Amino acid sequence: MVSAVLITLSYVPTDKLFGKRLLQAGRYITSHKSWMRTVPTENCDVVMTFPDTTDDHTLLWLLNHVRLGIPELIMQIRHHRHTRIYAFFVTATYENLLRGAEEIGLRKPVKTEFGGGTRVFSCEEDYIYQNIENELNFFTSQERQSIIRYWMENLRAKQGESLHNIHFLEGQPIIPELAARGVIQQVFPVHEQRILSRLMKSWVQAVCERQPLVEYNSLHSSLLALNTGRAGENDDSLLQHPVLWEWRLLFRFFPGTDDICEYFGVKIAMYFSWLGFYTSSLVYPAVFGMMLWFFTESDQTSRDICCVVFALFNVVWATLFLEGWKRRGAELAYKWGTLDTPAEFIEEPRPQFRGVKRISPVTNCEEFYYPPWKRLLFQSCVSLPVCMSCLCFVFVVMLACFELQEFVLSIRELPRLVRFFPKILLAVIVSSCDEVYRKIAYWLNDMENYRLQSAYEKHLIIKIVLFQFVNSYLSLFYIGFYLKDMERLKEVRGSILP
């Protein structure tokens, strides 16, 4: 384990802190990924790294602001002798994490004798929560990292503060601004190898088994119903029941369900839950489609009738799938404590949000304000023209590739391999334009300066999905509905779709 220097409340001179003794404290490591393996998770939750050109003044300036602004954090300075990169290893004590859980409104399960279910954590009533006595297991690694990230992102600058040529506004988040300026190289959570190994065996390597989040809730409810009225008890105690243990061994995907949510967070778990629900729901159109294909006659009329029937079936199936996922998503949201999400006026502003200071007419507190007309002006004069230009460029490039293909096919003396060049070129252009536009979409979204993270993500998704749809499927619509060339449609579909 790499030795460390613990930041205390006393000021440490530069020559002692970053002198020869500290330079000998690093381990000879060649990859930045080794940061994640140098210390156990319980001693470090988040790592903040700096470029090798970072001077001592910058490190001490940030350390001093973190020490004064976030006294709850424990920071350790580490240095790699080979890469000459400094890093801050960040963690917090259990008592401070409890206070942080109350600040962010973290929901935790309540003991059965106090009503069960989940409730927003409160330090005054900490005795009502399950496993509150267990300092190692009460918080998951994801919850610990979320609390620390909340503190770090809300480290605000005071009026007139500056670092080199970076001048902060009063109340502006320091760490996100330094990360955007390149002063901080990266901030990332540290993985816990023990949990990763368990997930690797029960989830990733279980290729021929059902995924952990597929149809879990209905099975879980059924298993609990077998336990003769012991509902509301801790799941771990319920699993000791012989009947439940036999079912747990039968359905090996059962143990990994909550592990995904606890380790990666609700967003990742909800995504894979949707993916599993969608994959299992595809069985119905797959079976129905195979039956239609098997009983379809070879004449064109029979094929057309089957296509219409299959289209109607897909309409009904899609409607039932959406309704089923709404119910399933609500069940998972309730189980994971995110069903009653806060209203937009309670949601915290993005740390990257810019604006002028004013007194909020709602909370009567100081806040950053960005006039909506400025955002609308930027959207109308910059975002919309740039997006339309990108879409037009993709359309023109697509037509150019089609013309090139017509020209190549008209020359019969060319080798057969050369005839595939326009298709390959179209596939490469589609992938390249997708990556370029993604960067443009992020830049436009940043310039539009949304106050809430939910609004930022919504407009980013609109930009990316719109371009990806046009970029990937416009050529298919053009060939299928304008040129009406079915043979060519099959060739292009095979070249640009996975």
Side-chain angles (χ1 to χ4, degrees):
M1 182 182 298
V2 184
S3 60
V5 177
L6 182 63
I7 304 304
T8 61
L9 294 179
S10 60
Y11 179 78
V12 184
T14 305
D15 57 341
K16 293 184 179 180
L17 186 59
F18 300 102
K20 294 182 179 180
R21 294 183 180 180
L22 184 60
L23 293 177
Q24 301 300 324
R27 183 182 288 177
Y28 194 81
I29 301 175
T30 58
S31 174
H32 73 280
K33 294 183 179 179
S34 300
W35 287 115
M36 296 183 288
R37 304 189 182 97
T38 56
V39 66
T41 302
E42 56 266 20
N43 295 335
C44 174
D45 293 291
V46 177
V47 175
M48 181 190 306
T49 61
F50 301 86
D52 55 359
T53 57
T54 305
D55 56 9
D56 298 346
H57 171 70
T58 301
L59 297 174
L60 286 175
W61 184 91
L62 182 57
L63 279 173
N64 185 57
H65 279 71
V66 172
R67 176 174 61 85
L68 296 177
I70 320 175
E72 297 87 356
L73 294 183
I74 299 175
M75 301 191 66
Q76 296 176 340
I77 310 172
R78 307 219 170 176
H79 178 264
H80 278 173
R81 183 194 308 174
H82 177 65
T83 60
R84 298 185 179 276
I85 293 179
Y86 285 98
F88 293 167
F89 278 33
V90 187
T91 186
T93 63
Y94 181 63
E95 292 75 13
N96 289 331
L97 288 174
L98 293 177
R99 288 192 288 268
E102 185 177 23
E103 290 181 25
I104 67 175
L106 183 65
R107 301 185 68 92
K108 298 296 292 182
V110 180
K111 296 178 180 178
T112 307
E113 56 266 28
F114 296 102
T118 61
R119 190 183 302 179
V120 176
F121 184 81
S122 173
C123 292
E124 296 182 356
E125 299 178 329
D126 56 358
Y127 57 88
I128 71 174
Y129 298 96
Q130 296 179 7
N131 298 326
I132 187 65
E133 302 84 4
N134 193 335
E135 297 186 4
L136 295 179
N137 297 327
F138 181 70
F139 290 111
T140 65
S141 60
Q142 186 269 338
E143 290 173 342
R144 295 168 60 95
Q145 293 159 358
S146 297
I147 295 172
I148 293 176
R149 177 187 175 186
Y150 170 81
W151 282 333
M152 296 174 65
E153 288 185 347
N154 284 275
L155 177 62
R156 306 277 177 171
K158 298 180 181 179
Q159 185 176 6
E161 284 189 326
S162 62
L163 175 63
H164 299 307
N165 61 339
I166 303 176
H167 300 279
F168 295 94
L169 299 175
E170 183 179 1
Q172 183 178 1
I174 293 178
I175 293 180
E177 179 66 19
L178 294 180
R181 297 292 190 96
V183 176
I184 297 176
Q185 192 174 46
Q186 55 184 345
V187 180
F188 57 88
V190 178
H191 280 294
E192 190 170 352
Q193 295 298 329
R194 175 178 56 87
I195 299 180
L196 280 181
S197 300
R198 185 169 70 244
L199 288 175
M200 183 69 69
K201 294 179 181 179
S202 64
W203 184 21
V204 180
Q205 296 177 353
V207 178
C208 299
E209 299 176 9
R210 300 181 70 178
Q211 293 300 298
L213 287 168
V214 176
E215 299 299 337
Y216 163 75
N217 275 31
S218 56
L219 172 65
H220 186 250
S221 303
S222 301
L223 293 180
L224 294 183
L226 296 175
N227 202 31
T228 63
R230 293 174 60 190
E233 296 187 15
N234 190 350
D235 288 350
D236 294 335
S237 63
L238 289 176
L239 291 177
Q240 305 305 321
H241 192 277
V243 177
L244 299 182
W245 184 253
E246 293 178 2
W247 279 91
R248 178 174 178 170
L249 293 179
L250 178 60
F251 295 95
R252 295 184 59 188
F253 62 92
F254 179 72
T257 304
D258 288 333
D259 291 342
I260 299 174
C261 179
E262 292 176 357
Y263 189 73
F264 292 103
V266 175
K267 282 188 176 182
I268 302 298
M270 190 66 75
Y271 166 75
F272 282 104
S273 177
W274 175 86
L275 192 63
F277 186 83
Y278 175 68
T279 303
S280 60
S281 299
L282 286 176
V283 173
Y284 302 103
V287 173
F288 187 75
M290 288 293 296
M291 295 175 58
L292 284 179
W293 175 80
F294 183 78
F295 291 105
T296 300
E297 301 293 337
S298 58
D299 59 289
Q300 186 64 35
T301 303
S302 177
R303 292 181 180 179
D304 294 340
I305 294 175
C306 288
C307 287
V308 173
V309 173
F310 190 61
L312 294 176
F313 174 83
N314 283 335
V315 171
V316 177
W317 170 83
T319 304
L320 297 177
F321 167 77
L322 291 176
E323 294 301 321
W325 171 246
K326 288 179 182 179
R327 181 175 180 177
R328 177 71 185 282
E331 293 176 358
L332 294 176
Y334 175 78
K335 181 178 185 295
W336 294 332
T338 59
L339 182 61
D340 49 346
T341 54
E344 289 191 353
F345 64 89
I346 300 179
E347 185 178 350
E348 287 289 331
R350 296 173 56 242
Q352 296 84 2
F353 178 68
R354 303 287 190 272
V356 295
K357 292 193 66 175
R358 71 164 189 176
I359 301 298
S360 173
V362 178
T363 62
N364 203 27
C365 299
E366 287 188 339
E367 67 173 5
F368 283 105
Y369 175 74
Y370 187 75
W373 66 267
K374 289 187 177 181
R375 183 180 299 110
L376 182 60
L377 181 64
F378 185 86
Q379 290 175 338
S380 303
C381 300
V382 180
S383 297
L384 184 60
V386 169
C387 292
M388 295 304 298
S389 299
C390 293
L391 297 179
C392 293
F393 173 77
V394 170
F395 181 71
V396 171
V397 170
M398 179 197 69
L399 294 180
C401 290
F402 289 159
E403 292 296 328
L404 179 61
Q405 184 177 8
E406 292 291 340
F407 175 75
V408 170
L409 293 178
S410 63
I411 304 177
R412 298 186 177 182
E413 293 80 9
L414 292 177
R416 183 173 181 178
L417 184 62
V418 179
R419 295 175 178 269
F420 288 97
F421 176 75
K423 303 176 184 177
I424 298 175
L425 180 62
L426 179 61
V428 172
I429 290 177
V430 167
S431 301
S432 301
C433 290
D434 185 53
E435 292 298 325
V436 173
Y437 183 79
R438 182 178 295 270
K439 297 180 179 179
I440 296 176
Y442 273 99
W443 178 79
L444 292 175
N445 232 43
D446 291 338
M447 295 300 297
E448 290 172 6
N449 193 24
Y450 292 100
R451 179 177 179 271
L452 302 178
Q453 184 66 25
S454 58
Y456 179 88
E457 293 177 354
K458 182 182 73 173
H459 288 83
L460 180 63
I461 290 173
I462 292 175
K463 294 182 179 69
I464 293 180
V465 170
L466 176 63
F467 182 83
Q468 287 182 343
F469 178 81
V470 174
N471 190 33
S472 301
Y473 300 108
L474 180 62
S475 58
L476 302 181
F477 280 92
Y478 177 77
I479 297 174
F481 293 97
Y482 183 77
L483 299 180
K484 299 180 180 180
D485 190 344
M486 294 297 106
E487 295 299 328
R488 192 171 184 180
L489 179 62
K490 295 178 182 180
E491 295 178 358
V492 174
R493 183 183 61 182
S495 63
I496 66 176
L497 295 182

